[in-house]
DNA sequence: TATGAATGAGCTTTCATTCAT
DNA sequence: TATGAATGAAAGCTCATTCAT
């Protein structure tokens, strides 16, 4: 997954002609947020993020006026990598369904290593609206392309919505890494298998 | 409903020989909580529950030391109904898989009508530990019975864990009620269909 | 000025059948607020009031949900004393104008000893709306009675509004006790003298 | 307007032999401040002023170390106009009292059209000290000249202090622009009328 | 000299939990 | 045993002021 492409950098964190110290702070905040998002979820207090980053609260607000801005920035690279992986897999994999399967696995890998992200994606708090918007806008079309290709190839049932599928995958990923030995990947595979035939 | 088993009676509402006024308070609190859980989810503030019940906060804490105790008590009846439905469905349905499917649908119906419950079930906050424990202890064995029967009948793949399946179902139910038209039932059906064959 | 009458106690601080400790806290908060209002104005931070009173912030909010509630409570006694003094002075003084004059002096005495109150009365911050409302509702009618009596007696010009007069008096009182030797009483006397004849 | 006196030139805009770009910045800031003072009062945030002026915050602070310095500079012209109007009115008006009255009206006009200025003039925050100093140093002597002339002419009572009078006028102007129909001009007229005779 | 990023104390408000009554 | 008043930490956010660039 190439992380450094800038095909779609709506708010690139590295291209702005900022002062170097400001850029450094932006990065410090992103790193701190990434860390804390893993351990405490994306609901983590802004004060804690600022502390972890070693910057003042005002600095955090200057760089990321809303919580959604911060979350989007933290995960932008990975999201864009997923976006790009869709068409690529369609070319490289043996069949559309294989491509869809591989792409979903990529997405699962992403979500499950970012603990709390999946949960945040499903929060209905208004402060997360921009987060939904970004993820759905970017990823659903890609997923839809794969789903349609597989459907047209007759590999999966024809009545599956990409949004619904992604939502399901996100749900399965949002709560799996506990002491219980529940494995998101296995569950998602069940879902993917379920796509292949009409309900029994 | 006969309280056949007493494996986990965190706060039995009928077996303890309490004073009648204490029992009355317990019931008032349960009624209030049930009402508020519907409208505001299981995260509703304890103060609101006490107010609705018309009791003091200390009384609420005396009867239900943790939020999990309260949730468990509120949903005990329904959980036990699920427990009993398992064997019953195995007898009444046409096949073990049909019974499993019907039972899961029962569980989905339960979870999706209790706003916030599924999410609480997957919370990793320590105050919810007792909630996990109760649900899993009561329901997983029942689910396992159905899964095993279906596996032995050759209707589903043999390597499925009941805990994992229930966890997946719970996940799919915890985040479906948005303006997005995502339907937990449809997703769960996908999962159930996926059980039928080995992964492709 | 009798401070303990309870003729008009819309929210008496002493008659509520509260627990004694709660009543004690109410009084501690009122005392603290009165003190801090003098030194820091009624804009003083709620945290400071709680600290000065030796109570938690939640306690302060329990007793006085809005800042206006606190201010009104602090000054209620004196306002009500002013309300009662109006008719009394009309009876006891030699003429309506003398009564008006005496009443205004009473009001000046009140305002000038409560530094910051006059200023707050003229703030246009929404949080002070209830304060305006209370003061104007209670005092303007009383003042109007005195003004009308004096006007009917031909002692003052007939075109004076009580609200305007009180507002002027309030203004003159709001900023007089600096190191500058400006005396609100003298200025108010000028205003009262100015009432007696038409403008020259 | 000739800058005849240099008693208190906290930040002269024209006498210092500054570099031309610095002078340009000074002017940009003054223009921005004048604009924002009208719309948002003199309490407007310094950041907003800097933004409006198109300069950095450091530049603003360099030119006007305190808020008072900025306010003084913005209103210098009008204050000096008042200063010059005093003797002029004494010559042109029919009597010293008429001159005093006209001059006070000039001052009222000035204050009431500058939202928040009158209030700032009466603030006891240290950052406004320079503001008091400037206004009083410049205007009180002028007012005193008019008051003395009127007193010597026997038109007003002899015991009136110019400082006190101005303070009263300032107070009456500081809080009149509400939805309440309180008119500073009318109240000031009452004060001026009150000057004419001894207290009754 | 000019910039504006950074600071961080400050604000109001909420709420799970405790404990004096 | 029941009450609900009291607690106080925590939250998000703002803004006057400083200082590295």
């Amino acid at each position: 997954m190439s992380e450094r492409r800038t095909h779609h950098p709506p708010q690139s964190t590295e291209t702005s002609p900022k002062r170097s110290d400001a850029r450094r702070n932006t990065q410090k905040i992103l790193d701190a947020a990434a860390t804390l998002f893993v351990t405490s979820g994306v609901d983590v207090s802004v004060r804690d993020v600022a502390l972890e980053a070693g910057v003042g609260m005002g600095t955090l607000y200057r760089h990321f006026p809303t919580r959604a801005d911060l979350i989007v920035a933290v995960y932008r690279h990975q999201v864009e990598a997923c976006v790009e992986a869709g068409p690529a897999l369609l070319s490289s994999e043996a069949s559309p369904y294989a491509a869809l399967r591989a792409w979903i696995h990529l997405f699962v890998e992403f979500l499950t290593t970012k603990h709390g992200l999946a949960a945040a994606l499903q929060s209905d708090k208004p402060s997360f609206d921009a987060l939904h918007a970004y993820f759905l806008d970017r990823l659903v079309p890609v997923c839809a392309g794969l789903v349609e290709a597989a459907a047209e190839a007759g590999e999966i049932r024809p009545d599956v919505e990409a949004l619904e599928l992604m939502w399901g995958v996100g749900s399965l990923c949002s709560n799996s890494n506990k002491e219980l030995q529940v494995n998101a990947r296995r569950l998602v595979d069940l879902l993917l298998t379920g796509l292949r035939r009409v309900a029994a």
Side-chain angles (χ1 to χ4, degrees), chain A:
Chain A
M1 198 189 286
S2 70
E3 299 242 340
R4 285 290 147 183
R5 303 277 302 277
T6 46
H7 240 188
H8 275 282
Q11 269 153 247
S12 165
T13 60
E14 54 222 316
T15 59
S16 333
K18 285 180 175 181
R19 277 164 41 177
S20 63
D21 58 339
R23 234 177 14 248
R24 218 156 27 234
N25 272 338
T26 299
Q27 198 53 51
K28 280 196 292 182
I29 292 169
L30 286 176
D31 293 346
T35 302
L36 290 180
F37 284 0
V38 169
T39 55
S40 315
V42 293
D43 278 322
V44 69
S45 106
V46 289
R47 194 172 248 107
D48 288 348
V49 175
L51 269 175
E52 172 83 16
V55 304
M57 312 236 338
T59 303
L60 197 156
Y61 273 93
R62 166 183 292 275
H63 287 272
F64 304 102
T66 75
R67 183 181 293 273
D69 293 329
L70 181 56
I71 301 173
V72 168
V74 166
Y75 296 125
R76 175 178 305 280
H77 291 317
Q78 279 113 326
V79 170
E80 297 305 326
C82 277
V83 168
E84 291 166 23
L89 288 169
L90 210 42
S91 311
S92 63
E93 294 290 319
S95 77
Y97 176 73
L100 172 61
R101 193 173 189 89
W103 188 80
I104 292 286
H105 284 160
L106 223 51
F107 185 48
V108 168
E109 176 72 14
F110 170 34
L111 286 184
T112 52
T113 55
K114 272 75 198 171
H115 180 55
L117 170 59
L121 276 174
Q122 282 152 353
S123 162
D124 51 1
K125 281 195 259 182
S127 54
F128 289 141
D129 284 351
L131 184 65
H132 301 148
Y134 173 68
F135 269 73
L136 298 183
D137 283 0
R138 299 298 293 147
L139 295 179
V140 168
V142 178
C143 184
L146 294 162
V147 165
E148 278 158 30
E152 277 167 21
E155 292 183 298
I156 63 170
R157 44 194 291 184
D159 60 348
V160 178
E161 295 283 353
L163 171 58
E164 191 166 57
L165 176 60
M166 292 203 62
W167 197 264
V169 171
S171 292
L172 293 174
C173 291
S174 53
N175 309 101
S176 47
N177 53 349
K178 328 211 142 254
E179 73 278 3
L180 301 170
Q181 284 298 18
V182 175
N183 187 273
R185 165 82 178 242
R186 281 171 52 88
L187 284 166
V188 168
D189 271 340
L190 239 36
L191 211 57
L192 288 168
T193 304
L195 290 178
R196 305 217 68 167
R197 308 230 174 282
V198 294

